[in-house]
């Protein structure tokens, strides 16, 4: 699909409160076919999500994610109980929480690095087409950063559903959290 048509369709799904604030932009090089163009999402005329770099923090390693104090990983009672059974009750209570958090953040870090490594201009077009042809629930539940963003700014996602997603958003990439906060603020 041509970029202009794709952009028109994506913008037709924007939440009315975000219409005019969120823009999808693309550049390409006509005479340099081997040079990739850029695709980005702008909020209030600022490039927020550039497919190669952003204003939001990008993680280079799993260790950076594990050491980031801004990431809050919710740990359920069931996860602590599973570790207690695994260790046969020989580990102190406070240590069980540390083990559960460590395991969960390792899994989260791998997912996060995988998700952010897939962003590029060609991927943007593929994912935008996938978003347009799939249900909003699939896009919200996906591990793909771009699908999450497109779904969060979509008019089909109501305020009540957004409010109920607060816990899930803690486990998403910072750029997805940014768009979640943007949508909450409207």
């Amino acid at each position: 699909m041509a970029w202009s048509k794709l952009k028109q369709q994506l913008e037709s799904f924007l939440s009315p409160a975000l219409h005019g604030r969120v823009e999808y932009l693309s550049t390409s090089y006509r005479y340099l076919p081997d040079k990739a163009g850029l695709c980005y999402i702008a909020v209030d005329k600022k490039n927020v999500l550039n497919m190669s770099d952003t204003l939001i923090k990008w993680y280079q390693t799993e260790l950076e994610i594990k050491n980031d104090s801004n990431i809050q990983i919710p740990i359920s009672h069931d996860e602590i109980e599973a570790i207690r059974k695994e260790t046969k009750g020989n580990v102190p209570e406070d240590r069980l929480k540390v083990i559960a958090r460590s395991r969960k953040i390792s899994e989260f870090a791998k997912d996060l690095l995988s998700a952010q490594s897939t962003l590029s201009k060609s991927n943007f077009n593929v994912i935008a087409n996938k978003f347009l042809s799939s249900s909003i629930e699939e896009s919200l539940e996906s591990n793909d950063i771009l699908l999450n963003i497109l779904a969060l700014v979509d008019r089909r996602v109501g305020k009540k559903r957004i409010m109920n997603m607060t816990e899930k958003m803690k486990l998403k990439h910072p750029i997805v959290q940014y768009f979640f906060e943007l949508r909450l603020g409207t």
Side-chain angles (χ1 to χ4, degrees), residues 164-181:
N164 292 335
M165 296 170 59
T166 306
E167 282 301 310
K168 283 184 184 176
M169 286 300 131
K170 290 180 181 176
L171 296 174
K172 297 289 186 177
H173 192 275
I175 190 71
V176 176
Q177 292 175 8
Y178 171 84
F179 279 95
F180 175 73
E181 294 296 326

Side-chain angles (χ1 to χ4, degrees), residues 16 24 41 43 53-54 56 81 93 95 97 104 116 120-121 125-126 134 137 142 145-146 153-154 165-166 182 185:
Y24 305 105
I41 299 174
V43 176
D53 61 344
T54 70
I56 305 297
E81 284 302 314
E93 189 67 29
R95 192 70 193 140
K97 290 178 184 175
K104 199 161 182 182
Q116 80 180 23
S120 68
K121 181 180 179 186
N125 292 341
V126 170
S134 63
E137 286 77 21
S142 172
I145 294 171
L146 203 49
V153 298
D154 195 294
M165 296 170 59
T166 306
L182 178 72

Side-chain angles (χ1 to χ4, degrees), residues 28-54:
S28 58
Y29 301 96
R30 184 182 208 171
Y31 300 109
L32 296 170
D34 58 329
K35 183 165 170 100
L38 292 175
C39 224
Y40 48 95
I41 299 174
V43 176
D44 298 326
K45 306 289 183 203
K46 280 184 170 175
N47 294 345
V48 176
L49 176 64
N50 199 345
M51 295 311 140
S52 59
D53 61 344
T54 70

Side-chain angles (χ1 to χ4, degrees), residues 108-148:
F108 171 71
K110 288 176 181 142
D111 291 343
L112 193 61
L113 286 172
S114 170
Q116 80 180 23
S117 70
T118 62
L119 292 176
S120 68
K121 181 180 179 186
S122 60
N123 221 17
F124 181 85
N125 292 341
V126 170
I127 292 173
N129 281 313
K130 181 179 178 182
F131 169 75
L132 292 171
S133 64
S134 63
S135 72
I136 197 74
E137 286 77 21
E138 283 179 48
S139 298
L140 286 170
E141 295 298 321
S142 172
N143 287 331
D144 191 285
I145 294 171
L146 203 49
L147 276 177
N148 290 159

